[in-house]
Amino acid sequence: MPTDFPPYGFVGPDLQPRGLDIDMANLIGEKLGARVTLVPVTTTNRIPYLQTGRVDLVISTLGRNPERAAVIDFTAAYSPFFIGVFGPASISVRGPEDLAGRTIAVTRGSMDDTSLTEVAPTTATIRRFEDNSATVTAFVSRQTDLLATGVSVAATVMQRNPALGAEYKFLLRESPNFIGLPKGETALRDRVNEIIAEAKANGTIDRLAQRWLGRPAGELPL
């Protein structure tokens, strides 16, 4: 689980992990009848942790793409996630073409990075950082003009730093979150999918999304 990606995963004032991903992990552990051990991960090490057996599941705002699907398996989606570009109101940015000549902070290896790289013009400067905290810090300290991240993360940044005058610029991608697990763990994947399906049907998924994201999860892909 993440520790620097509110509201999905973060450390609260009491130094305890909180967030949508933590609630989901605890729900799955309860349904499996298993003791939950939460292991902090970063964007870059979460897949290697699966591949080396350090963790059994990755519940860490993990998007699904062909490259990742070649090395790990995925469950059904359990929460929504939206990626966008954000920046001060004083900078006019309405689409990818307006990134020309601008510097944009993004977390290396994330879906944010992939989505931004696909559309950014060659004259844009993409500054990649190793974790979300460093990415946000670079933007907040005005080392970059813009920030590419999930809209929920950006909302937290804007709430905590009103002097930035930051606002949503444009959508990069809708990228629901999936749970990752090692290749070949078919029985575990099927059981977790049953838990997710039950949580969707009884409204638990929507309640978690409403609690942490301020909106219901809505339709999520299998």
Side-chain angles (χ1 to χ4, degrees):
M1 41 73 69
T3 57
D4 65 345
F5 211 66
Y8 292 94
F10 61 101
V11 177
D14 56 359
L15 302 183
Q16 295 301 307
R18 297 180 179 181
L20 191 155
D21 287 354
I22 283 75
D23 284 357
M24 194 67 199
N26 287 326
L27 172 67
I28 290 172
E30 177 187 345
K31 295 296 184 179
L32 289 175
R35 179 174 60 88
V36 174
T37 300
L38 298 175
V39 179
V41 296
T42 66
T43 298
T44 53
N45 70 20
R46 54 192 173 169
I47 290 177
Y49 273 26
L50 273 179
Q51 294 174 308
T52 57
R54 186 162 178 175
V55 299
D56 300 296
L57 299 171
V58 166
I59 307 178
S60 179
T61 60
L62 186 65
R64 183 174 65 188
N65 61 31
E67 292 75 21
R68 290 173 177 170
V71 295
I72 65 171
D73 284 340
F74 292 90
T75 66
Y78 69 94
S79 73
F81 192 83
F82 306 90
I83 300 167
V85 170
F86 302 82
S90 58
I91 297 177
S92 179
V93 174
R94 297 183 178 180
E97 64 280 0
D98 296 324
L99 298 178
R102 299 294 183 183
T103 57
I104 311 101
V106 71
T107 300
R108 186 186 307 278
S110 63
M111 290 293 288
D112 314 351
D113 187 0
T114 302
S115 302
L116 176 64
T117 302
E118 287 175 354
V119 301
T122 57
T123 55
T125 299
I126 301 175
R127 295 194 58 191
R128 297 177 174 88
F129 299 87
E130 297 306 317
D131 57 48
N132 295 307
S133 291
T135 302
V136 169
T137 297
F139 173 66
V140 170
S141 61
R142 304 182 192 273
Q143 297 175 44
T144 65
D145 301 318
L146 303 163
L147 170 67
T149 190
V151 294
S152 56
V153 175
T156 301
V157 172
M158 291 186 287
Q159 181 181 20
R160 293 178 178 175
N161 302 275
L164 288 174
E167 64 181 11
Y168 167 75
K169 297 299 186 181
F170 66 91
L171 182 71
L172 283 172
R173 177 172 295 181
E174 295 186 20
S175 177
N177 296 318
F178 299 80
I179 297 171
L181 66 167
K183 282 287 188 184
E185 293 285 351
T186 305
L188 178 59
R189 183 194 63 201
D190 291 347
R191 179 66 186 113
V192 173
N193 275 339
E194 291 175 359
I195 294 169
I196 293 172
E198 179 185 2
K200 287 178 179 178
N202 65 25
T204 298
I205 293 289
D206 274 335
R207 286 193 292 272
L208 288 178
Q210 188 68 52
R211 176 187 180 189
W212 293 107
L213 306 177
R215 67 172 79 183
E219 293 296 321
L220 296 171
L222 299 176

